[in-house]
Amino acid sequence: MRLFDFFRRRRSAPVARERLKVLLAYERANRNLPDLVAVLREEILAVITRHVRVRQDDVRVTMDRGDTKSRLAIDIRIPNGATIAGAF
Amino acid sequence: MGKVVVVTSGKGGVGKTTSTAALGAALAQTGLKVALIDFDVGLRNLDLVMGAERRVVFDLVNVTQGAAKLSQALIRDKRIETLYLLPASQTRDKDALTEEGVAHVVGALREKFDYVLCDSPAGIERGAQLAMRFADEAVIVTNPEVSSVRDSDRVIGLLDSKTVKAENGESVGKHVLITRYDATRASRGEMLGIDDVLEILSTPLLGIIPESQAVLRASNVGTPVTLAEPANAAARAYFDAAKRLQGEELPMVLQAEKRRFFDRLLGRMAA
């Protein structure tokens, strides 16, 4: 097992090459576009806060970028009995 | 009309200043008139690497603001008489540089010199963009390491969009200079190889500078490595790169450190 680990540790350059290829393909394609995740996050939050008061800490936005598809997850904790923002 | 070459990278610490000094000295040693401009306002270092830190009177900002004449601010190298340095200012903030001011200085130097090398600050902000703004050619200094390659790719994007040449529908001639390359580690698959970097960046190669103690020694004493230790592997690689920058076609040989058996043994043990 140690021999295997030793071998694996040595060849990290191919991993670096593949990671860079995937990343740079994405970055080049999106260089002149606004950050999609940032735009979605802002707009979705704007809609939510029109109805519910949420604290910044209660919002978790995660992104998992795949080769062909990506997954954007927005997790908002809404306190029970939260006030409706426009109710005042 | 001389050529304006920006030495850039995005990432800091990859060897922009060292390479500017080494390439500039290599070009000037052939009799060409060369001016080096330090664009790293607030964090100047080219003066130190060139051994001219005690001779700075005026700087780039003084000249762009009209407080000093270009001829007063240029420092002539004590060893090579066709080599000049225009230092960055140390105290003022980055916004002290204006595009018009830089255009004026670069334009005036282009008239008098064969090569104007612009040593860019790290990053992709204003200072870096001004350093590349008027360039005809770009040397993108890259270490065979993921973060450096990624940043180089960003910089290549800027060279293709934010330079005067790009805006006029022309393109800046781009060349990758790989520094701190360790052939042994690359062959073992521990470090990105030359082919990997070139394939990813799809930009032609200007040279491969091997990792060498001589580069640090040269900085320590304030002499470009091409002048301090011209026979050293890194220096020879810089000489080749300087020739390619002038359009010469040279085979890409990996310059190897001439180490004695005993040094090698010690090197192995230390590694």
Side-chain angles (χ1 to χ4, degrees), chain B residues 168-199:
Chain B
N168 291 339
E170 297 168 78
S171 71
V172 173
K174 298 182 290 290
H175 316 267
V176 169
L177 181 68
I178 296 178
T179 54
R180 310 203 63 172
Y181 184 71
D182 185 332
T184 315
R185 297 187 64 197
S187 71
R188 284 196 210 137
E190 298 171 351
M191 184 188 250
L192 282 170
I194 302 297
D195 294 342
D196 297 335
V197 177
L198 296 184
E199 187 198 337

Side-chain angles (χ1 to χ4, degrees), chain B:
Chain B
M1 283 283 270
K3 268 204 175 135
V4 179
V5 182
V6 61
V7 181
T8 184
S9 69
K11 188 166 157 53
V14 295
K16 281 182 296 298
T17 301
T18 313
S19 296
T20 305
L23 284 174
L27 289 166
Q29 276 170 281
T30 66
L32 290 164
K33 283 194 78 179
V34 180
L36 313 178
I37 312 178
D38 189 347
F39 272 86
D40 206 345
V41 172
L43 288 170
R44 74 162 172 240
N45 272 319
L46 188 55
D47 57 331
L48 192 56
V49 171
M50 292 294 294
E53 71 278 10
R54 296 204 288 181
R55 299 168 64 209
V56 176
V57 183
F58 296 112
D59 56 55
L60 175 62
V61 171
N62 295 143
V63 178
T64 57
Q65 293 181 341
K69 285 185 187 159
L70 186 53
S71 56
Q72 293 174 309
L74 280 172
I75 303 170
R76 183 189 213 154
D77 190 84
K78 283 191 167 169
R79 300 146 300 205
I80 311 173
E81 57 176 32
T82 55
L83 182 60
Y84 289 78
L85 165 70
L86 181 55
S89 70
Q90 185 67 307
T91 50
R92 285 166 222 238
D93 67 312
K94 283 187 162 59
D95 296 330
L97 278 184
T98 60
E99 180 168 340
E100 300 73 48
V102 173
H104 176 73
V105 169
V106 172
L109 289 173
R110 196 201 280 273
E111 297 281 323
K112 296 190 189 108
F113 289 87
D114 297 306
Y115 278 92
V116 180
L117 302 195
C118 304
D119 183 19
S120 173
I124 52 171
E125 300 302 317
R126 208 176 125 78
Q129 292 193 16
L130 278 174
M132 68 171 63
R133 184 77 187 139
F134 304 98
D136 301 306
E137 311 257 339
V139 174
I140 301 133
V141 182
T142 308
N143 289 169
E145 181 270 327
V146 286
S147 57
S148 176
V149 175
R150 180 198 208 173
D151 292 357
S152 290
D153 193 70
R154 283 296 294 283
V155 162
I156 289 169
L158 287 181
L159 287 163
D160 288 336
S161 61
K162 302 276 186 184
T163 53
V164 171
K165 278 215 150 185
E167 285 173 7
N168 291 339
E170 297 168 78
S171 71
V172 173
K174 298 182 290 290
H175 316 267
V176 169
L177 181 68
I178 296 178
T179 54
R180 310 203 63 172
Y181 184 71
D182 185 332
T184 315
R185 297 187 64 197
S187 71
R188 284 196 210 137
E190 298 171 351
M191 184 188 250
L192 282 170
I194 302 297
D195 294 342
D196 297 335
V197 177
L198 296 184
E199 187 198 337
I200 291 164
L201 295 179
S202 52
T203 300
L205 183 62
L206 185 70
I208 307 160
I209 313 300
E211 172 82 64
S212 168
Q213 300 288 321
V215 174
L216 182 60
R217 278 200 298 273
S219 291
N220 286 344
V221 298
T223 306
V225 70
T226 41
L227 202 59
E229 302 186 40
N232 170 269
R236 281 182 285 137
Y238 275 119
F239 280 120
D240 285 356
K243 285 181 187 159
R244 289 189 197 101
L245 193 60
Q246 294 173 76
E248 220 174 290
E249 285 192 18
L250 291 175
M252 195 65 68
V253 275
L254 196 61
Q255 301 286 0
E257 196 94 71
K258 283 172 187 144
R259 288 204 293 182
R260 280 170 300 184
F261 174 73
F262 200 63
D263 292 340
R264 253 189 159 126
L265 199 69
L266 287 175
R268 276 281 154 73
M269 282 163 65

